[in-house]
Amino acid sequence: MLYLGREAFRRAQYTILENGRELEKRLFAYHFMDGPANNVVEEIAGYQNVDGGFGKAIEPDFRLPESSPMATSIALQHLVHFDDLPLAKGVISKAISYLDNTYVSERKGWFAVPRTVNDYPHAPWWECDEEKKMCAIDANWGNPTAEITGYLSKYREFTNLDVDELLSQAAGYLESKNTFTSFHEIFCFVRLYRLLDEETAASLRPKLSEAVCNLISKDEEEWRTEYVAKPLDFVTSPEEFFCVDRELIEKNIEYYISELQTHGKIKPTWSKSFYDGEMSRAWDEWVAIITLRVLLILKSFGRIIL
């Protein structure tokens, strides 16, 4: 069995400290160096706007300073791990209020970003179509609506929306799908699933397992060169494998360890050419984000030896 050793870990640490934002640095310190949890929450709170939503390029691919449901969902991905802290509770309650206020009843959900995203540097996939009044991400309803529904379910005390109706709609949408084309949408459903009580989560598991196994790539060369969903994009700990074969999980673990041993980092598989000019720093930010994400997965599987 292959493990990530001290030298490769230190090289990955250097990558995060050299390329990462203060957020990634504080997350690394919290998870690997007993850093204070409050330091992480304080840094996340710095991305929050007065309306309670998040912006300020917490999602590196669009540099929109004002709030968006997508950026708010990314902040909440972190905050759920710190919600026992008083500071986090206040930040979360304001975020939920923002999501209440940006709910679009005609869509029965949320649009990922406002049209003003076009006024700031952004990757092409975040361009808002003025005619359709949405970006390409919005073609898949569940991204980020399914994920946001999970946060509203977890923090019901802060929302005025009908959470049970939102959950029923999300479940019905997922169940109705016969083909799966967006792994990002299924990422959102997986995050929803992990925020639910066991009974409700169990009702989503069969269809979610079907989606995961339809979308993952099993080809290591694709993992290295193409923008595909890897097994460990869905299975981030030994607690939940969905339908993914354990040998495939092991193959993905060893792939990541090998990449870190060779390069000391995990780079995006999408092209750096998207990041010219004012977007150039986003590439380095992604290197740090992805490298940290992989270290946390390896930690959860007990595959780091220091």
Side-chain angles (χ1 to χ4, degrees):
M1 188 174 283
L2 194 61
Y3 290 86
L4 187 73
R6 182 185 298 272
E7 182 181 348
F9 177 83
R10 294 304 179 204
R11 291 176 66 202
Q13 177 184 7
Y14 177 80
T15 291
I16 293 165
L17 297 179
E18 182 73 10
N19 295 279
R21 305 171 294 184
E22 186 63 26
L23 176 56
E24 281 67 54
K25 295 173 186 177
R26 294 191 184 192
L27 283 165
F28 179 88
Y30 170 75
H31 287 288
F32 293 102
M33 302 173 66
D34 296 322
N38 258 332
N39 283 5
V40 177
V41 178
E42 287 172 359
E43 184 61 24
I44 295 169
Y47 290 91
Q48 191 168 39
N49 290 310
V50 293
D51 61 5
F54 285 78
K56 305 176 185 177
I58 194 170
E59 156 57 60
D61 279 354
F62 60 88
R63 316 305 287 191
L64 176 71
E66 64 191 75
S67 300
S68 68
M70 180 61 71
T72 303
S73 73
I74 290 165
L76 287 166
Q77 287 172 24
H78 297 297
L79 289 166
V80 292
H81 301 295
F82 302 96
D83 61 6
D84 57 332
L85 299 176
L87 175 61
K89 289 184 187 296
V91 174
I92 290 168
S93 68
K94 293 175 185 176
I96 298 300
S97 293
Y98 165 79
L99 292 171
D100 275 11
N101 292 332
T102 51
Y103 175 76
V104 181
S105 56
E106 297 83 5
R107 184 173 174 79
K108 297 184 178 179
W110 290 262
F111 288 105
V113 291
R115 278 176 279 176
T116 48
V117 73
N118 293 352
D119 299 333
Y120 297 89
H122 58 279
W125 44 89
W126 289 108
E127 177 76 14
C128 189
D129 186 309
E130 294 291 346
E131 190 173 310
K132 295 180 180 177
K133 299 181 180 180
M134 65 181 193
C135 68
I137 307 301
D138 293 311
N140 296 287
W141 174 88
N143 184 13
T145 292
E147 180 176 343
I148 288 173
T149 298
Y151 300 127
L152 296 180
S153 178
K154 184 173 178 62
Y155 303 115
R156 287 173 181 252
E157 68 269 31
F158 300 134
T159 183
N160 294 314
L161 295 175
D162 187 337
V163 175
D164 290 328
E165 176 60 29
L166 291 171
L167 285 170
S168 176
Q169 178 158 306
Y173 173 90
L174 180 64
E175 191 61 36
S176 70
K177 291 186 75 68
N178 296 315
T179 58
F180 303 97
T181 57
S182 169
F183 55 82
H184 282 286
E185 182 176 55
I186 300 305
F187 290 162
C188 291
F189 273 99
V190 169
R191 295 187 188 108
L192 164 64
Y193 168 86
R194 289 174 177 152
L195 292 163
L196 299 174
D197 63 82
E198 176 56 35
E199 182 179 352
T200 309
S203 67
L204 299 182
R205 193 176 295 126
K207 198 69 175 184
L208 205 49
S209 293
E210 178 187 340
V212 168
C213 286
N214 268 271
L215 289 167
I216 58 171
S217 167
K218 301 178 182 180
D219 186 334
E220 186 171 326
E221 186 57 30
E222 285 187 346
W223 299 348
R224 185 172 288 106
T225 60
E226 297 183 30
Y227 188 42
V228 295
K230 304 173 187 68
L232 290 173
D233 288 333
F234 294 107
V235 180
T236 56
S237 76
E239 278 71 55
E240 178 59 74
F241 279 76
F242 296 108
C243 61
V244 185
D245 185 85
R246 288 176 184 259
E247 290 184 6
L248 188 58
I249 295 296
E250 180 62 24
K251 179 182 177 183
N252 200 175
I253 289 173
E254 294 192 355
Y255 163 78
Y256 277 139
I257 292 173
S258 177
E259 288 291 298
L260 289 171
Q261 288 174 335
T262 303
H263 305 291
K265 66 185 73 173
I266 306 293
K267 295 189 293 185
T269 54
W270 57 93
S271 175
K272 192 175 182 178
S273 64
F274 292 119
Y275 300 103
D276 293 333
E278 294 180 82
M279 284 295 294
S280 60
R281 59 183 167 171
W283 176 264
D284 289 335
E285 290 171 354
W286 275 119
V287 171
I289 290 168
I290 298 169
T291 300
L292 176 59
R293 186 182 298 160
V294 168
L295 287 180
L296 291 174
I297 291 170
L298 295 179
K299 181 183 178 183
S300 74
F301 280 91
R303 300 301 285 273
I304 300 176
I305 296 180
L306 300 178

